[in-house]
Amino acid sequence: MITFEHLTKRYGSFTALDDVTFTARPGVVTGFLGPNGAGKSTAMRVVTGLTPATSGTATILGRPYAQLSNPAAQVGTLLDASAQHAGRTGREILTLGAIAVGVPRSRVDELLTLVGLDEGESRRRLRDYSLGMRQRLGIAHALLGDPEVLILDEPANGLDPQGIAWMRELLGASRVRAGPCCCPRTCCTRCS
């Protein structure tokens, strides 16, 4: 479960998140909707402890991210598929992640198969990956610890139609529902 309570984030005079309160319940895929700049990525950065909130709280499984005993084993995250070392291979990136999370290295092969990256692709340098391949690798990385919670920022970005169908299947699209809009503006009916 993910809970935001009166979450606000300001950058100087700009308010990225304005008193956001909601709960994402277990077993349900919840999507943030809103225009570019609405604060969706900021909210995900706050809940994962990468950006401090100005006020309010964000918890995962009842605790702030920093207080989780092994965060990567409890929360899988994909916030930016390009935020990996471009000179490493996909396999190296997943292997290092497996070591850090404390899962068997055999998990790397399982996940490469799951996300559809074959042996040759897994041995290519990240700089030579397409955006869709980076997304698939990022999803594999998020799943390394078999987490209870997944936080994915634009996971279908760069995926072809077959990849989008695969993503929906992976996430159990029959349970997808729209979540709250965190837009600080009144530009759409979800925001007002």
Side-chain angles (χ1 to χ4, degrees):
M1 177 170 3
I2 300 172
T3 304
F4 287 13
E5 293 182 2
H6 303 289
L7 192 66
T8 298
K9 176 59 184 174
R10 291 189 185 90
Y11 296 97
S13 63
F14 176 74
T15 302
L17 297 171
D18 189 12
D19 195 31
V20 177
T21 297
F22 79 92
T23 298
R25 302 255 176 236
V28 178
V29 176
T30 303
F32 267 164
L33 302 175
N36 292 342
K40 300 177 300 290
S41 294
T42 300
M44 290 181 219
R45 290 182 57 80
V46 169
V47 76
T48 57
L50 296 171
T51 299
T54 303
S55 63
T57 60
T59 60
I60 303 172
L61 303 170
R63 296 183 185 153
Y65 186 86
Q67 292 179 11
L68 296 171
S69 59
N70 184 353
Q74 296 171 284
V75 182
T77 60
L78 170 60
L79 300 183
D80 182 356
S82 296
Q84 298 281 0
H85 191 293
R88 294 199 186 279
T89 68
R91 178 172 292 284
E92 288 171 339
I93 289 167
L94 288 182
T95 300
L96 290 170
I99 292 166
V101 175
V103 298
R105 291 185 187 189
S106 61
R107 184 83 171 130
V108 171
D109 289 318
E110 292 171 23
L111 290 169
L112 286 168
T113 299
L114 177 70
V115 301
L117 292 174
D118 65 31
E119 184 63 27
E121 292 166 333
S122 76
R123 300 216 179 267
R124 288 171 53 187
R125 304 272 176 219
L126 188 66
R127 72 170 131 296
D128 298 325
Y129 275 25
S130 68
L131 178 56
M133 291 170 70
R134 288 176 192 226
Q135 287 294 101
R136 287 175 179 268
L137 181 68
I139 292 164
H141 199 275
L143 294 172
L144 271 171
D146 195 20
E148 295 177 59
V149 175
L150 282 174
I151 298 175
L152 309 173
D153 192 1
E154 299 187 34
N157 190 23
L159 295 179
D160 58 19
Q162 180 182 4
I164 292 170
W166 166 82
M167 170 65 62
R168 288 180 178 157
E169 176 78 19
L170 178 72
L171 298 179
S174 64
R175 296 177 294 167
V176 173
R177 71 174 175 85
C181 179
C182 53
C183 180
R185 297 169 273 170
T186 55
C187 56
C188 65
T189 56
R190 290 194 55 78
C191 303
S192 49

